[in-house]
Amino acid sequence: MTDGASTVGWDQHNEAVDHLRRQLSAVPQGEPVRLAKRSSNLFRPREGTGRPGLDVSALDGVIEVDPGRRTAQVQGMCTYEDLVDVALAHDLMPYVVPQLRTITLGGAVTGLGIESSSFRNGLPHESVREMDVLTGSGEILTVSRTEHEDLFRAFPNSYGSLGYSVRLEIDLEPVAPYVHLRHLHFDDLGSLVTTMGELLRTRDLDGEAVDFLDGVVFSATEGYLVVGSWSQHAPYTSDYTGRHIFYRSIQQHAEDYLTTRDYIWRWDTDWFWCSRAFGVQNPRVRPFVPKRFLRSDVYGKVIRFENRHQWWARKEARQGRLPRERVVQDVEIPLERTEEFLGWFLQNLPIEPIWLCPLAVRDQDHDEQPWPLYPLRVGEQYVNVGFWSTVEIPVGGKDGDTNKRIEQTVERLGGHKSLYSDAYYDEPTFWGLYGGETYQQVKKTYDPDGRLPDLYAKAVGRR
């Protein structure tokens, strides 16, 4: 366990929950309710409320890990970084660990998350056994597949509009000490997608189990699948927490070994590849950057500063450059339409690299769409396509035009778009895509006075 890992006892947890409940009761009726969080992994600006948010700083720890049951009790604001530190001490890890260290358990469940184990383990909410949820009406309800199942099923992708998770019980899985990586190179998109489908079907590569699978597309003629397999031994291990950059290693080595901890956080050091914007990938600069600054949350603070003050945007405008539109999105595309989407994207948008991460619904025992607010179909393979950059707004164009084109293309191909970033849907389209009828029923039951902004107001209205 690292020095930063936070553990709490049940008494301390219960005191923190009572304090949160009292805070909510003190908010006058009719005023919006929001959490006061020290960090956020949302990439859409939000309107101010004019009043402090609910203080959840005491709900950021691991309550306990049960190695025998392979479960963890965690508070809603516990980061995956802290949970991983505690779980690895028991040779366990969460079924899905989103890529960035400061993503919280509650945030990943109410706002979704994904990683290279998602093709076999689904999304983070699918390994939740039960949650304690603070609802808009001020109740603390334990929800699960057998208690308040309507709220349990609607909570994923609700972004705090139905309530806040204050405690989660999640499943953990055993780990090996190392992950063996193989980087498969492709010079065309069709072969890459076909091979991905074959690996998803067989879950085997040259006699080794496929335990992790993701990929990177650098261009229409250069792409890679990264196949990870648990390993008890490693002839060597690589280190991408300092001078060396993980995504570049995919192009440079056909094979690699990482410790399990370093594999889990391989993307965080450079925020995938987005640290390029801060100059820290420059080989003349990087040796002088302290490791503690090579973290996604540090980069995120810089971005939020720019969102508030527009210092860089004003500088660019003074130099006569066109304004830029933020294109920071993750979309889920059915496997059989992935090549088509990638081809369209690379022809129309000057953004590279692109991340690929296959996923499938883990809850195979439920109906065809067990999570109504993000209706992925049981039995279907999807590929998460992640792209995070900006594009010029041409003369006569408007901010949002590119994102709208992406939304239309994703919808046409039968895909879904995550809501952590900018969204531009009109309201009828939005509710048609994100379980509007079910959502309204659950909202009426658990937040009848509308104390929490609804999902459309948050995702599109930026409240």
Side-chain angles (χ1 to χ4, degrees), residues 16 39 63 164 199-200 343 345 358 372 394 398 414 437 439:
S39 65
I63 303 171
Y164 303 114
L199 291 171
L200 293 173
F345 188 93
K398 294 186 297 183
E437 183 176 344
Y439 177 85

Side-chain angles (χ1 to χ4, degrees), residues 16 72-73 94 111 341 368:
Q73 301 281 352
F341 177 79
E368 64 176 18

Side-chain angles (χ1 to χ4, degrees), residues 362-377:
R362 180 181 168 214
D363 191 345
Q364 299 290 318
D365 297 327
H366 205 265
D367 59 26
E368 64 176 18
Q369 293 180 343
W371 309 103
L373 271 60
Y374 206 70
L376 303 175
R377 298 175 65 87

Side-chain angles (χ1 to χ4, degrees), residues 25-37:
S25 299
V27 178
Q29 289 288 340
E31 290 198 13
V33 175
R34 180 181 291 175
L35 298 184
K37 299 173 63 176

Side-chain angles (χ1 to χ4, degrees), residues 20 23-24 27 31-37 45-56 160 164 451-453 457-458 462-463:
L20 179 63
Q23 291 181 73
L24 180 60
V27 178
E31 290 198 13
V33 175
R34 180 181 291 175
L35 298 184
K37 299 173 63 176
R46 298 190 297 173
E47 295 179 354
T49 64
R51 65 170 291 118
L54 302 179
D55 179 9
V56 290
Y164 303 114
R451 303 197 72 192
L452 306 173
K458 297 193 79 165
R462 300 179 175 180
R463 289 185 58 188

